[in-house]
Amino acid sequence: MLALKNVQVLYDRAIEAVRDVSLDVPPGTIVALLGSNGAGKSTILKAISGILEQEDGEIVSGGIHFDGEPLTKQSARAIIAKGLIQVPEGRQLFATLTVEENLLMGGFTRSRADCSEMIERIYTMFPRVKERRTQISGYLSGGEQQMLAIGRALMGRPRLLMLDEPSLGLAPQIVDTIFETVVGLNRDTGLTVLLVEQNAQLALQVASYGYIIENGRIVMDGAAEKLLANDDVQEFYLGFSGGERKSMRDVKHYKRRKRWLS
Ligand code: ATP
């Protein structure tokens, strides 16, 4: 459904953020893109969504195709209209608008009737969002904001939903609610999901396939259960070594020394 082939991205015509990245997101699947801070995850999502230009970023080589059609020359608006919709890191809600107004903004390409139906579905999915429907979104808790951001993206009726670190800064219980909803959408409606996460454990439990990115390059990919069982992944991303939990300091120290790919 979505395919990136040998994508290279530069910022300011000089800073290489992503190099030679190829990945596939087949229809109806949840695919995880994992990596630590600054690895290049958000850059890949921005490249897919056609919003690199806003940050002086550019795809300088490689291609991105959706259903076989090239995306690289399309506007961000045209990409959304094709059903590729992103929930950005930090949610980026319209902070001074109410919850319901935010949802309506997400449905700007849809008819009024379609929007009303979709809003009711989102309220059923996230009752806490419904409780806050008339409140200004800037005053919601982090978890409520994430639910609203996902709801706003769903208003555009995505075919492929891209989630940028949905678990960031949220309590485990809220994260569970959000992940259960995403898994439910995938299972019940066949929604395809590209899930960007630093939390590898969580992401690999819901994804069928995963890619690991470091310093702008994919260093490993495979079926989620294989990655979960892989010693290096366990050590570097899940914090385990020989059955014992390593401290993050040890893991970080070792990470600097070890290279997965030459
Ligand atoms: P995070 O989880 O911290 O967002 P990430 O994996 O999403 O990390 P990116 O935000 O894609 O990483 O950043 C990849 C690299 O590109 C980093 O070295 C970052 O400093 C650089 N970068 C990101 N945005 C810009 C920008 N607008 N201009 C210049 N360099 C940038």
Side-chain angles (χ1 to χ4, degrees):
M1 184 180 213
L2 176 73
L4 276 71
K5 198 131 192 80
N6 308 113
V7 171
Q8 184 189 16
V9 175
L10 295 185
Y11 286 108
D12 304 321
R13 295 180 178 262
I15 306 161
E16 188 183 54
V18 162
R19 185 206 286 199
D20 206 22
V21 163
S22 297
L23 63 84
D24 275 306
V25 185
T29 62
I30 300 179
V31 170
L33 177 61
L34 310 167
S36 46
N37 269 332
K41 306 180 299 299
S42 300
T43 299
I44 291 175
L45 291 193
K46 287 173 191 167
I48 298 166
S49 299
I51 54 174
L52 277 173
E53 222 171 73
Q54 298 165 11
E55 298 188 24
D56 277 328
E58 194 188 351
I59 299 171
V60 290
S61 61
I64 303 178
H65 286 80
F66 186 60
D67 287 343
E69 254 189 84
L71 286 188
T72 31
K73 299 276 178 257
Q74 310 246 8
S75 68
R77 208 187 163 99
I79 292 169
I80 289 177
K82 288 181 191 302
L84 283 108
I85 302 185
Q86 188 183 153
V87 181
E89 189 180 343
R91 294 124 209 175
Q92 296 179 24
L93 294 168
F94 301 103
T96 57
L97 299 185
T98 66
V99 164
E100 194 147 307
E101 284 165 349
N102 266 277
L103 290 176
L104 287 167
M105 295 294 276
F108 76 99
T109 57
R110 305 285 159 191
S111 69
R112 202 174 249 272
D114 203 14
C115 279
S116 305
E117 189 209 321
M118 214 41 221
I119 284 180
E120 287 316 313
R121 281 175 58 187
I122 288 157
Y123 286 158
T124 310
M125 255 176 251
F126 296 121
R128 281 178 71 163
V129 172
K130 183 174 186 179
E131 283 166 27
R132 304 270 189 265
R133 66 198 294 172
T134 58
Q135 293 184 14
I136 299 296
S137 66
Y139 295 127
L140 301 184
S141 71
E144 290 162 353
Q145 289 194 9
Q146 187 62 272
M147 292 177 202
L148 175 56
I150 293 173
R152 188 182 60 181
L154 293 174
M155 289 293 296
R157 294 197 185 261
R159 292 180 54 218
L160 192 154
L161 184 68
M162 294 176 277
L163 295 164
D164 197 351
E165 303 209 29
S167 76
L168 199 69
L170 302 184
Q173 223 180 338
I174 306 283
V175 173
D176 284 349
T177 305
I178 288 170
F179 273 60
E180 276 163 23
T181 305
V182 171
V183 169
L185 281 164
N186 168 260
R187 184 190 53 228
D188 302 338
T189 69
L191 178 67
T192 308
V193 179
L194 176 57
L195 172 61
V196 163
E197 264 295 340
Q198 283 193 46
N199 188 332
Q201 175 90 46
L202 200 63
L204 290 173
Q205 277 167 8
V206 301
S208 55
Y209 200 88
Y211 292 85
I212 295 176
I213 182 167
E214 273 188 1
N215 300 321
R217 300 179 71 165
I218 302 289
V219 292
M220 191 181 278
D221 67 293
E225 63 270 23
K226 283 205 173 139
L227 290 181
L228 272 171
N230 179 286
D231 287 345
D232 282 341
V233 176
Q234 293 217 354
E235 180 153 6
F236 297 118
Y237 289 95
L238 308 179
F240 291 101
S241 170
E244 280 177 24
R245 198 166 196 121
K246 277 198 150 203
S247 81
M248 277 316 285
R249 203 161 155 254
D250 288 344
V251 173
K252 269 188 193 156
H253 174 66
Y254 194 6
K255 227 181 196 174
R256 268 181 232 125
R257 286 192 290 133
K258 173 143 180 171
R259 288 279 173 273
W260 280 350
L261 290 187
S262 52

